[in-house]
């Protein structure tokens, strides 16, 4: 009998050969084999969404590959990693009605915003998976899909990616992308010009309606009224709606209750800021696509200095590139420092591991020597792990360097601590808040 890892390695290879790289990375790469006691094979997946997708789409393939590659009759089971939100509601499809002819608005989509160019990390894994699922089964699975989170974290990117993917599958798909302000202006103009009928045709007969930054519907009674009817018609015809906002529907001021409740019918997923590793991956990805020659060290400096959002991260890279062109010098660490200097990122005292240790020690009221030492009491171990985690997030120090600053610990111990805290953050709201406060304190 094969063991779970051999079995999974083989199955993964078959999936890799059989699926597109994007699909593979999203669903298969994130799964882990937990046990194999024939015929029962238990896979751990990151979220309910992943579980749904495996059960719905990938299970037949999994069973087929196991049979053809290992002559094994598998009964797969899926377990969600850690605590996850409740199962999302799955809507029943509603019967379709005839659609008048409308123009395709796909040209309003940015060509660069595809699933291929989207780097998956902890903060956006769920949102990416939800967006992919929606693009594969629009109108039935998660309708509407509501993506929310801070500025510049990839909400618009994912929205456009859904549009591109649907058009790639069916070139006749009518996609409409607007910001909520454009929707409002369009409506106001249609009233002024007495062209309301055209306005309705434009929005109510598409296959996919993407409305960005819906929080600007706050206070706009007329727009909300119109949007309500647009939503109803699309929804009743099983047309997919995707909305983004910087916050949850019920947190948008003066949003009609009936809209709030409708926005919650489908699935709401948040996107959070990328961690250091994801920021580096995003930069590397962008540098490769744009053929910017930049060494890894330089990428790490940018990623560790710009930790607010992806838009600023991209801005910093563009700045470094412009600097290198102007000065006719290749990009290296010095050039990066110079280029970023005027962004005032460096005007603050440089963040050191020592500073992080001091702040963490005083925040948790533990002795600095103990924090760096070897004592195993929980009151010290947790702050120590947090300090290591923050050192990794906020400085560009390597794991061995962090280990050294904590009394000569091995780099695997540091990595373990960082993973542990990252995991706890997603399960423990209080801890997440403490760490957020600490970050602000440290960066002040
Ligand atoms: N995970 C990612 N991989 C690659 N690029 C990303 C990723 N996340 C964001 N970006 C890029 O960052 C930039 C900002 O993203 P986007 O415009 O989608 O943010 P947003 O969340 O919609 O922000 P806003 O709320 O300001 O509208 C875009 O150029 C986008 O391509």
């Amino acid at each position: 009998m094969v063991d779970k890892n051999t079995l999974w390695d083989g199955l993964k290879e078959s999936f890799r050969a059989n699926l597109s790289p994007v699909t593979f990375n999203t669903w298969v790469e994130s799964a882990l084999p937990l046990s194999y006691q024939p015929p029962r094979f238990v896979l751990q997946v990151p979220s309910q969404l992943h579980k749904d997708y495996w059960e719905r789409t990938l299970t037949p393939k999994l069973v087929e590959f196991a049979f053809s590659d290992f002559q094994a009759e598998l009964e797969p089971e899926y377990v969600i990693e850690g605590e996850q939100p409740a199962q999302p509601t799955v809507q029943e499809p509603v019967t379709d009605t005839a659609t008048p002819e409308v123009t395709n608005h796909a040209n309003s989509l940015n060509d660069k915003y595809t699933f291929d160019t989207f780097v998956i990390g902890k903060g956006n894994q769920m949102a990416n998976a939800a967006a992919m699922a929606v693009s594969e089964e629009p109108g039935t699975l998660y309708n509407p899909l509501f993506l929310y989170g801070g500025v510049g974290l990839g909400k618009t990117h994912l929205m456009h990616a859904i549009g591109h993917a649907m058009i790639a599958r069916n070139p006749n798909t009518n996609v409409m992308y607007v910001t909520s302000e454009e929707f409002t202006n369009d409506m106001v103009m249609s009233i002024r010009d007495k062209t309301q009928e055209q306005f309705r045709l434009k929005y109510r007969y598409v296959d996919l309606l993407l409305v960005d930054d819906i929080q600007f519907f706050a206070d706009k009674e007329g727009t909300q009224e119109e949007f309500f009817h647009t939503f109803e018609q699309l929804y009743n015809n099983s047309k997919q709606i995707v909305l983004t906002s910087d916050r949850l529907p019920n947190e948008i001021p003066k949003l009609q209750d009936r809209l709030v409740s409708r926005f919650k019918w489908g699935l709401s997923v948040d996107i959070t800021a990328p961690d250091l590793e994801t920021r580096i991956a995003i930069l590397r990805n962008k540098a490769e696509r744009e053929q910017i020659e930049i060494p890894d060290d330089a990428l790490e400096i940018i990623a560790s200095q710009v930790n607010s959002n992806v838009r600023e991260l991209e801005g910093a890279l563009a700045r470094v590139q412009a600097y290198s062109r102007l000065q006719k010098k290749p990009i290296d660490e010095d050039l990066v420092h110079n280029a970023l200097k005027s962004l005032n990122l460096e005007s603050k005292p440089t963040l050191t591991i020592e500073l992080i240790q001091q702040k963490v020690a005083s925040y948790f009221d533990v002795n600095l020597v103990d924090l760096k030492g070897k004592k195993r009491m929980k009151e010290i171990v947790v702050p120590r792990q947090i300090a290591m985690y923050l050192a990794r997030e906020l400085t560009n120090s390597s794991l061995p360097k962090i280990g050294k600053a904590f009394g000569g610990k091995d780099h695997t111990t540091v990595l373990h601590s960082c993973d542990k805290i990252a995991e706890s953050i997603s399960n423990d709201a209080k801890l997440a808040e403490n760490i957020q406060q600490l970050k602000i304190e440290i960066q002040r």
Side-chain angles (χ1 to χ4, degrees):
M1 185 193 101
V2 287
D3 64 72
K4 63 171 194 219
N5 292 326
T6 317
L7 176 69
W8 179 235
D9 288 346
L11 294 173
K12 255 174 99 170
E13 282 322 302
S14 299
F15 274 117
R16 198 193 299 278
N18 212 267
L19 300 174
S20 73
V22 176
T23 310
F24 179 84
N25 287 338
T26 303
W27 310 109
V28 184
E29 197 72 292
S30 56
L32 276 179
L34 286 189
S35 68
Y36 176 43
Q37 280 161 340
R40 206 166 154 257
F41 179 53
V42 185
L43 265 184
Q44 177 187 288
V45 293
S47 72
Q48 181 68 44
L49 255 164
H50 290 76
K51 186 174 176 206
D52 290 347
Y53 193 86
W54 271 97
E55 283 173 346
R56 221 178 40 246
T57 314
L58 296 178
T59 299
K61 285 197 169 65
L62 183 73
V63 172
E64 183 193 316
F65 295 151
F67 194 72
S68 57
D69 299 349
F70 296 94
Q71 288 72 53
E73 287 184 27
L74 227 57
E75 283 177 16
E77 264 181 52
Y78 308 98
V79 172
I80 301 167
E81 177 192 347
E83 269 183 23
Q84 294 295 325
Q87 186 154 356
T89 8
V90 176
Q91 265 107 35
E92 289 297 318
V94 188
T95 6
D96 208 349
T97 59
T99 307
E101 206 172 309
V102 283
T103 38
N104 195 331
H105 299 276
N107 54 6
S108 54
L109 299 179
N110 184 328
D111 285 346
K112 289 185 183 159
Y113 294 173
T114 62
F115 285 121
D116 283 325
T117 58
F118 194 77
V119 177
I120 304 168
K122 259 209 165 350
N124 61 31
Q125 189 178 41
M126 274 277 282
N128 177 69
M132 282 197 77
V134 156
S135 75
E136 287 172 19
E137 289 179 54
T140 53
L141 206 51
Y142 309 122
N143 207 12
L145 174 63
F146 194 96
L147 301 173
Y148 67 99
V151 293
L153 296 181
K155 301 183 294 295
T156 306
H157 188 133
L158 280 179
M159 236 186 181
H160 287 216
I162 297 172
H164 286 304
M166 279 179 63
I167 290 168
R169 237 175 236 115
N170 176 4
N172 295 324
T173 312
N174 285 308
V175 177
M176 182 69 182
Y177 166 82
V178 272
T179 62
S180 62
E181 285 125 319
E182 282 163 355
F183 184 88
T184 304
N185 292 343
D186 230 11
M187 189 195 86
V188 173
M189 299 285 258
S190 78
I191 296 171
R192 192 194 68 185
D193 300 342
K194 303 202 167 41
T195 52
Q196 278 139 297
E197 206 39 49
Q198 277 99 312
F199 172 85
R200 284 173 189 157
L201 268 179
K202 181 171 162 188
Y203 288 99
R204 293 191 191 176
Y205 295 95
V206 294
D207 301 304
L208 171 66
L209 178 65
L210 308 167
V211 186
D212 214 347
D213 290 326
I214 203 104
Q215 72 270 15
F216 296 118
F217 274 178
D219 276 340
K220 300 200 179 84
E221 263 301 311
T223 310
Q224 290 188 23
E225 183 67 27
E226 186 61 44
F227 189 71
F228 172 76
H229 296 291
T230 307
F231 186 101
E232 284 285 284
Q233 172 139 1
L234 290 171
Y235 183 85
N236 290 335
N237 290 335
S238 300
K239 303 301 185 189
Q240 181 68 43
I241 303 156
V242 183
L243 309 168
T244 74
S245 168
D246 63 351
R247 65 201 82 178
L248 276 167
N250 50 327
E251 292 166 349
I252 302 175
K254 305 219 175 119
L255 186 65
Q256 293 176 2
D257 287 347
R258 56 182 185 171
L259 283 179
V260 173
S261 70
R262 274 166 183 74
F263 291 175
K264 290 197 213 151
W265 274 350
L267 176 69
S268 305
V269 198
D270 70 335
I271 303 195
T272 55
D275 57 12
L276 178 66
E277 243 137 60
T278 314
R279 295 201 298 276
I280 296 174
I282 290 173
L283 284 175
R284 187 171 293 131
N285 193 281
K286 192 155 171 80
E288 273 167 19
R289 266 186 290 119
E290 304 199 351
Q291 299 178 338
I292 305 172
E293 291 234 355
I294 177 162
D296 279 356
D297 288 351
L299 284 182
E300 282 199 39
I301 297 175
I302 305 177
S304 56
Q305 289 197 15
V306 183
N307 55 17
S308 41
N309 69 53
V310 183
R311 188 173 295 124
E312 286 184 12
L313 197 62
E314 291 185 333
L317 179 66
R319 190 181 173 85
V320 167
Q321 190 191 12
Y323 235 73
S324 140
R325 278 214 200 103
L326 281 173
Q327 303 204 340
K328 298 197 173 54
K329 283 190 197 152
I331 302 175
D332 59 13
E333 292 182 37
D334 272 351
L335 187 126
V336 170
H337 280 297
N338 286 332
L340 299 187
K341 211 180 269 164
S342 51
L343 291 181
N344 277 340
L345 298 161
E346 290 184 319
S347 60
K348 299 172 199 159
T350 330
L351 276 181
T352 58
I353 301 178
E354 180 71 27
L355 177 84
I356 292 173
Q357 289 171 330
Q358 284 166 4
K359 296 270 186 179
V360 173
S362 84
Y363 187 88
F364 289 104
D365 200 16
V366 297
N367 187 310
L368 185 59
V369 177
D370 288 343
L371 188 88
K372 296 195 232 174
K374 291 197 163 49
K375 285 193 182 155
R376 303 288 315 147
M377 286 103 77
K378 191 164 179 252
E379 305 82 73
I380 294 172
V381 170
V382 176
R384 183 184 296 140
Q385 289 178 332
I386 292 176
M388 290 188 197
Y389 168 85
L390 289 171
R392 182 148 167 76
E393 278 284 303
L394 303 177
T395 74
N396 56 351
S397 312
S398 62
L399 293 171
K401 187 171 171 198
I402 299 172
K404 203 162 158 230
F406 284 84
K409 293 201 172 48
D410 191 67
H411 77 276
T412 52
T413 310
V414 180
L415 192 60
H416 171 74
S417 302
C418 296
D419 287 348
K420 193 140 195 298
I421 297 301
E423 195 193 321
S424 309
I425 286 177
S426 50
N427 300 329
D428 180 345
K430 179 97 185 71
L431 182 87
E433 198 189 315
N434 282 341
I435 291 181
Q436 195 50 36
Q437 274 173 5
L438 256 168
K439 270 192 183 172
I440 295 169
E441 183 74 15
I442 290 167
Q443 289 174 313
R444 189 167 274 164

